[in-house]
Amino acid sequence: MSFPETGFPITLTVNGESRSLVLEDARVTLLDALRERLDLTGSKKGCDRGQCGACTVLLDGVRINACLALAVSHDGASITTIEGLADGDVLHPVQAAFVDHDGFQCGFCTPGQIMSAVGLIREGQAGDDPERVREGMSGNLCRCGAYAGITEAVLAAHAAMHAPDVLPGGHLIEDAA
Amino acid sequence: MSERMRHGASIGQPLTRRDGPAKVTGAARYSADFHPAGMLHAVMAVSAIARGRVVHLDVAAAEAHPGVVAVMTPENAPTLAKSPDEKDNPFAFRLDLLQNSGVRYANQPIGVVIADTLEAATEGAALLSPRYEAEAPGVELGGGEIFVPDSVGAGTPTEQGAGDIEAGFASAATRMEATYETAAQYHNALEPHTSVAQWDGDRLTLHTPTQALWIAKGRLAGLFGIPEGNVHIVSHYLGGGFGSKGFISSPQILGIMAARLVGRPVKLVTRREQMFGPVGHRASTRQTLKLGAKADGTLTALDHHTLTLTSRHDDFVEACGLIARHLYASEAISTTHAVSRADIGTPIFMRAPGEAPGSVAVESALDELALALDMDPLDLRLKNYAEVEPITHRPFSSKALRECYAQGAERFGWGKRPKQPRQMRDEDGLLVGWGMGTATYPAGMMQGEARATIRADGTALVETAAQDMGQGAWTVLAQIAADGLGLDGDRVELRIGDSDLPNGGLAGGSTGTATSGSAVHAATQAALAQLEDLAVNDRASPLYGAGNAGTVAENGRLARRDDPTRSESFSEILARAGKDSVEAKGTGAGEPASRKTYAMHAHGAVYAEVKVDPDLGQIRVTRLVGAFAAGRIVNPRLVRSQYYGGMIWGVSLALHEHAVLDTRSGRVMNPNLAEYHVPVNADVPSLEAILVEEHDPHVNPLGIKGVGEIGITGTAGAIANAVWHATGTRVRDFPITLDKLLG
Ligand code: FES
Ligand code: FES
C-alpha cells in the first residue's frame, strides 16, 4: 500500500460516542466515513451529489447531506445518524410514526427521510401545516412514492412530540411491528 | 374458498410492515451495506461516446494511483463460459462485460478499477482517460430503418385486432386522429445497482438487489460455467427495482468478475449517472390513435399504432398497444407496433411496461373524442364498457370497473364538471381543470414454489425465494402463511430474499404476491395435510378416523370439520408421532384451463384535479382520487401504498420525467436526479385510493390480483385531460411542461 504515511486524524462524536479515525485520504466524505469506516450503514447513498437526500444526517443538530460533506472538515463535530435515534428497543416518535403511517416501501430513502423529519421538526419551521411539511421534506426523494405516508408520519410525530401532557417517547419495537 | 380464507384472521388486516422496525432503525442491510473481510472497492469507467470503440485506456496511470489494486479491461477481464450476447432464453438480454472494446451506447461500461478504498477506485477510473474511435450515433425515434418486430413486451404478438377497421371508420359519425409522444424514462430506483461478490473456488456468494433470484442465479451460473447450486444470492432488502432489477445487469456482473480477477471480495456500486444506459429504461414512444364513433358515442373503430425505439444490438419493444386490446369495446380494433433501432442501452420492462405510455395516449384520445361528440368523458367510457374482453370475447374472471367509476366519481364530485374547458378558477385566479382516465393492468402469474414446515413447538417456518422491493412481501406472505396454517402471525417465521430457497418467481409484472402467495398457501395446505395424515391414522388422537370429514386448522390446532370440539394441537400430533416437524412444498402458478377461459385484469378509475397558472403555465396536481378493484386485498394498508406509488408515477409520466438525448453525441444530457425530474414530496397532492370490493373465483385460489403497476395507468391520462380542461390547450407531447402550454 502506498498511501501517504501520515493520514488525517479526526474525532467525531457519533450518536453520542466518541469515534476517532485516521483518514488515509482527504477526499473521504462524511457519508463514506460513516458507511465504509465506522460500519454505520444505515445512512444510504442514492446519488453521491446532494440530489436525493438518502444520506441525510444531523451535524451538530442540523440536517445535512453527508455525501456533500468532507469528513476532514468536520473534525470535532457531533453527528446523529439513523442508528442513534431509537432508545434501545424504543423507537423515536418519528420512527414509530413512519411505521404506523406506512411512510416507506423499499425503505432505501427512509433513514434519510427520518433524519430529515427529525431535523425539520427541530427547526420548528413546518409545524402542523402539511404544505410546509411537504416543502420541508422535498430534499428527500422517494422513488417508491411513499410521500403521502411520509407527510402523515411527520405531522403525527410533530403532534406526538408537542403534545403537552404526553411524555416524549415511542413505541416498543415489538409493538410497532 | 372457505369462509376462513375470505375473512382470514390475518388476510385482509391492515397490519404494519413486519420489516418496518428494521427499515426505520437502519438495521435493514441492503446489498451495499455488506462488507466481507478483505473487501476491495470497484468503480466502473463508462463510455462517453454512443457508438464506436475504445482505442486506448491509460491503465498505467490508474495502476500508479496509490491504493489501486487492479484495472479490469477487455485485455484481462475473466473470460466467460458463454458469450454475454448469447440469447438462450427470451429474457436473456445482451450484456456488456468487457469482452471486447466495442461501444454500443453511451455510459456503457468500458473498464473497472479495483482499489483498497472507494476514493482510490474513483480516482483510478477517472485516470483511465479513454480515447475512442467514434462513429456518428443514431438515437432519434424513427431515425433509422423502421420495421415490424416479431413480438412486443414479454413475447406478445405485435399486431392484434378484431373486426374490419376500415368498415368501422366508414360507419363512424365522428372520427378523430391524434399522435402522442412519451419521453424516454429511466427507472432510477433510489438504490443503485450494486454487487458485493465473494468467490470461494468456483462458489459465489453475492449480495445484489434482484427482483428474480432464481432467474439471476441461472444467468450467472451460465455465464461463469458453474452449477446453479454454486451461486448463492442474498437479497433480503431491495431499494426499489421497478423492472430495472428484474434481470441482472452488466454492472452487477462486472462486480463479480472483478472479485474473480483479484481473488478477493469486491463491492461495486453503480454511480447514479452510470444508471442512464446499462441498466435499462423505458424507450420513447410515438403513438397514433384513430377513433371512430357513432353519434351516441359507441366506438366503431379503435386503431392504435405505436412507433418506439429499441437498441441496435438487442430487442425489447415497449408494448403500448396492449391496453387497447383489453379495455374498451369497439366494433373493430387494430393494434400495431413498429420500431427503429438506435445506439442506446437496451430498453426494458419499467413499471407498467407498455400499459403506462399506452394508457396516457388512449385516455387522452378518448377525451378528445368525448369533446368532439359533446359527451361527458365518463359517459363515453361507460358507453364502451367491455362486458367481455374485446378481441378474444372471453368473459372477465371478475371486473368491478363500473363500481370503480361510480365510487371514484362520487368521491371526487365529477358530476359537477363543466363540459367546456377554462370554466373553473380558484380564489387565487388559477385555472382549475378536472380529468379522468381508466386504469387497467393484467392479473398475470408466474410459477413459484414455497416450503412450509410445521414444528413441534407450535411454530412454523415458511420459505420462498420471493423478493420484497417495497411492495410488502415480508408482511403479506406471512399473513397468507398465518391464515393458511391457522397460526398467529408471530408464530410464523418467514424466510425470503435468498436464492437457496425454493423459486419464488419474480417480483414484477404485478405477479409477485399472486405467485409466491399462492405457492405459500399451497405449501401450508400440503404441510397441514401431512399433519392430518398423522392424526387421523392414530387411534390415540381425537381426530382418529376423521379422514373423510376432513380437518380445519385454527389457533395452532387441527379440528374435525364436522365437529370442532374434537381437536388436537399441532404440537400434540407431532409429539405423539415422535416427529420434530412436518415439511411440504407447494406450487403457485396460473391454472391453464381458467386462464384460457377467462380474461384476467385489474381495473380502476382515476380522477384528477390540476391548477394551472394562466400567466406562467405552472401546473400543479391538487387532487387525485383513484378507485381500484384488484380481487382480494391481503393488506389494505400496503395495497393503498402501492396505489399511491403508482399514481405518483402517473404524475411523473404526465408532468415530470424526461430523459433528454443529445442527438449528436447520443448521450443523455440530464443523467442525475437534479435534472431528471421525479416528483418530490411537494409535487404530490392529496391522494386518495378507494379499494373497491371484488371477488375473483378464477384468478388463483386466493383471489389475488397484482396492484403494483395499475396506479400509473389511468392517472397520467387523467392529469393530461385535467390540464386540457383547465387551459383548453391539448398537449400531446409528454411530459406536459409549462413551455408547452405557453408556446
Ligand atoms: S446520496 Fe447524498 S444526497 Fe443523494
Ligand atoms: S421507500 Fe423506496 S425510495 Fe422511498
Side-chain angles (χ1 to χ4, degrees):
Chain A
M1 181 136 54
S2 44
F3 286 131
E5 283 190 12
T6 51
F8 306 89
I10 60 165
T11 301
L12 302 168
T13 305
V14 185
N15 300 328
E17 220 180 286
S18 175
R19 307 281 301 261
S20 294
L21 63 164
V22 179
L23 299 172
E24 69 284 355
D25 195 315
R27 295 166 295 193
V28 178
T29 64
L30 179 58
L31 178 62
D32 290 325
L34 292 168
R35 286 183 50 80
E36 305 295 341
R37 280 129 180 120
L38 297 174
D39 194 31
L40 289 166
T41 54
S43 307
K44 297 293 182 255
K45 186 187 283 185
C47 70
D48 210 17
R49 54 195 290 178
Q51 297 172 340
C52 76
C55 62
T56 307
V57 299
L58 300 183
L59 177 102
D60 296 326
V62 176
R63 50 188 176 147
I64 61 151
N65 290 329
C67 70
L68 289 187
L70 289 175
V72 278
S73 54
H74 294 287
D75 187 19
S78 172
I79 314 288
T80 311
T81 71
I82 190 74
E83 290 94 341
L85 225 46
D87 180 6
D89 279 356
V90 183
L91 295 180
H92 182 280
V94 174
Q95 292 173 312
F98 266 70
V99 174
D100 286 346
H101 294 272
D102 213 33
F104 53 92
Q105 294 180 22
C106 78
F108 199 80
C109 71
T110 312
Q113 301 278 359
I114 289 175
M115 295 317 294
S116 192
V118 171
L120 178 70
I121 292 171
R122 191 169 292 177
E123 288 156 27
Q125 297 290 319
D128 54 6
D129 178 350
E131 276 309 308
R132 297 183 71 177
V133 168
R134 286 184 187 129
E135 204 64 49
M137 291 297 293
S138 281
N140 292 83
L141 298 182
C142 176
R143 184 54 158 163
C144 295
Y147 294 126
I150 291 167
T151 304
E152 280 173 28
V154 177
L155 291 168
H158 177 269
M161 291 164 76
H162 289 80
D165 301 328
V166 179
L167 286 173
H171 299 210
L172 280 180
I173 287 189
E174 296 95 273
D175 288 347
Chain B
M1 185 185 311
S2 72
E3 248 337 83
R4 185 186 161 80
M5 287 309 304
R6 208 165 311 146
H7 305 286
S10 191
I11 291 182
Q13 302 302 317
L15 305 185
T16 56
R17 289 174 197 261
R18 277 196 158 204
D19 47 342
K23 284 181 175 172
V24 300
T25 55
R29 280 190 176 256
Y30 296 74
S31 296
D33 302 341
F34 288 87
H35 201 137
M39 185 187 85
L40 299 173
H41 294 266
V43 171
M44 286 188 297
V46 297
S47 170
I49 64 162
R51 181 175 182 166
R53 67 188 193 94
V54 178
V55 293
H56 184 256
L57 290 171
D58 197 346
V59 173
E63 279 174 346
H65 186 75
V68 169
V69 172
V71 177
M72 186 166 76
T73 70
E75 298 288 307
N76 63 342
T79 46
L80 299 164
K82 66 165 78 161
S83 161
D85 275 354
E86 192 177 319
K87 288 178 81 75
D88 45 9
N89 76 66
F91 295 131
F93 291 97
R94 296 199 161 113
L95 297 161
D96 296 283
L97 302 176
L98 301 179
Q99 301 300 296
N100 57 58
S101 60
V103 172
R104 25 199 205 189
Y105 55 91
N107 281 342
Q108 179 194 307
I110 53 173
V112 175
V113 176
I114 305 139
D116 290 321
T117 65
L118 178 59
E119 293 73 26
T122 307
E123 184 71 30
L127 288 168
L128 287 177
S129 314
R131 287 205 306 271
Y132 307 95
E133 214 168 76
E135 292 169 43
V139 295
E140 272 172 288
L141 178 60
E145 184 203 342
I146 294 170
F147 63 99
V148 176
D150 292 337
S151 67
V152 295
T156 345
T158 299
E159 299 183 357
Q160 227 174 41
D164 181 340
I165 199 82
E166 293 312 324
F169 283 116
S171 69
T174 301
R175 289 173 205 93
M176 71 77 63
E177 174 176 345
T179 297
Y180 305 88
E181 300 212 8
T182 63
Q185 300 183 324
Y186 285 75
H187 307 72
N188 276 307
L190 208 56
E191 175 197 33
H193 294 65
T194 297
S195 275
V196 175
Q198 184 164 16
W199 286 94
D200 179 8
D202 64 354
R203 303 187 79 85
L204 171 67
T205 305
L206 179 66
H207 296 275
T208 203
T210 173
Q211 295 169 238
L213 286 152
W214 274 53
I215 295 177
K217 174 163 82 169
R219 183 77 163 126
L220 293 176
L223 284 169
F224 290 103
I226 53 177
E228 286 197 9
N230 285 13
V231 179
H232 182 205
I233 308 175
V234 181
S235 183
H236 291 148
Y237 300 102
L238 194 154
F242 316 113
S244 75
K245 293 169 184 164
F247 308 104
I248 195 159
S249 64
S250 301
Q252 288 163 289
I253 301 171
L254 287 168
I256 303 167
M257 292 167 64
R260 178 156 252 193
L261 181 75
V262 295
R264 285 171 66 179
V266 164
K267 169 153 93 178
L268 185 150
V269 182
T270 309
R271 294 186 57 81
R272 176 61 53 183
E273 62 275 18
Q274 297 176 336
M275 291 170 68
F276 290 75
V279 297
H281 70 290
R282 192 195 313 274
S284 53
T285 75
R286 183 178 298 147
Q287 302 172 56
T288 302
L289 265 296
K290 293 185 206 161
L291 303 178
K294 295 182 188 156
D296 69 354
T298 306
L299 284 173
T300 56
L302 193 178
D303 184 348
H304 185 174
H305 178 71
T306 300
L307 173 66
T308 183
L309 276 180
T310 193
S311 70
R312 198 161 311 281
H313 57 280
D314 210 342
D315 296 298
F316 176 85
V317 181
E318 187 76 11
C320 299
L322 261 53
I323 201 154
R325 299 175 185 173
H326 308 306
L327 193 49
Y328 296 112
S330 172
E331 283 171 20
I333 296 177
S334 164
T335 61
T336 53
H337 296 83
V339 63
S340 66
R341 294 201 180 275
D343 300 298
I344 55 174
T346 304
I348 205 169
F349 302 96
M350 177 163 161
R351 201 170 189 179
E355 270 80 1
S359 169
V360 78
V362 169
E363 296 303 321
S364 297
L366 274 176
D367 217 62
E368 299 203 48
L369 179 66
L371 178 73
L373 289 162
D374 191 31
M375 243 179 124
D376 179 90
L378 173 57
D379 292 342
L380 178 62
R381 282 155 177 93
L382 286 167
K383 186 85 200 165
N384 296 291
Y385 194 88
E387 301 294 351
V388 294
E389 195 180 42
I391 292 178
T392 65
H393 297 286
R394 291 179 302 176
F396 290 99
S397 59
S398 64
K399 181 177 179 179
L401 176 56
R402 246 186 252 288
E403 291 77 2
C404 295
Y405 283 136
Q407 291 181 30
E410 164 79 28
R411 181 73 204 167
F412 185 84
W414 182 258
K416 295 201 265 310
R417 175 184 178 274
K419 246 186 237 166
Q420 293 304 314
R422 286 186 88 95
Q423 302 298 304
M424 301 193 290
R425 297 225 180 205
D426 75 355
E427 58 279 8
D428 299 323
L430 298 178
L431 295 163
V432 178
W434 289 358
M436 60 89 54
T438 311
T440 185
Y441 199 76
M445 279 182 82
M446 306 279 287
Q447 177 154 339
E449 292 192 324
R451 183 166 54 225
T453 308
I454 302 174
R455 300 162 172 150
D457 64 0
T459 64
L461 170 66
V462 173
E463 301 167 291
T464 176
Q467 181 57 264
D468 194 332
M469 55 174 176
Q471 81 279 29
W474 278 112
T475 311
V476 299
L477 293 182
Q479 288 181 267
I480 291 168
D483 272 11
L485 291 164
L487 279 176
D488 276 351
D490 57 13
R491 315 216 88 190
V492 178
E493 183 189 341
L494 178 69
R495 289 191 196 147
I496 61 173
D498 185 316
S499 67
D500 283 355
L501 302 174
N503 185 0
L506 162 80
S510 292
T511 66
T513 307
T515 304
S516 55
S518 297
V520 163
H521 179 67
T524 60
Q525 299 314 294
L528 282 175
Q530 291 196 17
L531 206 57
E532 179 186 274
D533 236 32
L534 293 176
V536 301
N537 294 313
D538 181 347
R539 286 173 189 281
S541 168
L543 299 171
Y544 177 65
N548 287 338
T551 60
V552 285
E554 203 147 11
N555 296 326
R557 302 180 74 81
L558 272 189
R560 273 185 79 109
R561 194 178 291 280
D562 56 358
D563 179 6
T565 63
R566 290 170 65 185
S567 72
E568 191 172 28
S569 74
F570 299 172
S571 310
E572 287 165 324
I573 298 170
L574 286 168
R576 200 150 7 74
K579 285 182 174 279
D580 293 337
S581 62
V582 285
E583 178 192 301
K585 268 192 166 185
T587 300
E591 211 260 294
S594 53
R595 295 231 155 223
K596 218 171 148 194
T597 312
Y598 296 100
M600 300 179 180
H601 304 271
H603 292 94
V606 182
Y607 298 84
E609 176 183 271
V610 303
K611 292 188 179 178
V612 181
D613 187 305
D615 302 315
L616 304 175
Q618 192 192 33
I619 310 161
R620 309 279 294 178
V621 183
T622 46
R623 210 151 56 92
L624 274 181
V625 175
F628 301 97
R632 190 146 65 127
I633 298 306
V634 181
N635 183 323
R637 182 192 305 263
L638 307 196
V639 163
R640 200 165 269 128
S641 289
Q642 285 299 293
Y643 290 149
Y644 287 165
M647 289 159 78
I648 291 169
W649 275 58
V651 173
S652 198
L653 194 161
L655 303 179
H656 296 279
E657 276 181 64
H658 184 189
V660 186
L661 272 169
D662 173 26
T663 51
R664 284 162 309 168
S665 69
R667 295 169 66 170
V668 175
M669 293 193 285
N670 53 344
N672 61 72
L673 291 171
E675 294 166 285
Y676 180 88
H677 291 168
V678 299
V680 300
N681 201 323
D683 291 317
V684 172
S686 105
L687 297 170
E688 211 172 322
I690 302 169
L691 312 188
V692 174
E693 178 117 7
E694 188 178 72
H695 173 57
D696 194 316
H698 306 295
V699 68
N700 48 54
L702 294 166
I704 295 172
K705 298 177 180 177
V707 296
E709 302 174 86
I710 188 173
I712 310 174
T713 69
T715 302
I719 292 168
N721 296 338
V723 170
W724 168 80
H725 191 239
T727 61
T729 305
R730 174 63 65 176
V731 178
R732 302 188 184 89
D733 177 16
F734 294 94
I736 305 173
T737 45
L738 51 80
D739 51 308
K740 296 172 190 169
L741 285 178
L742 297 175

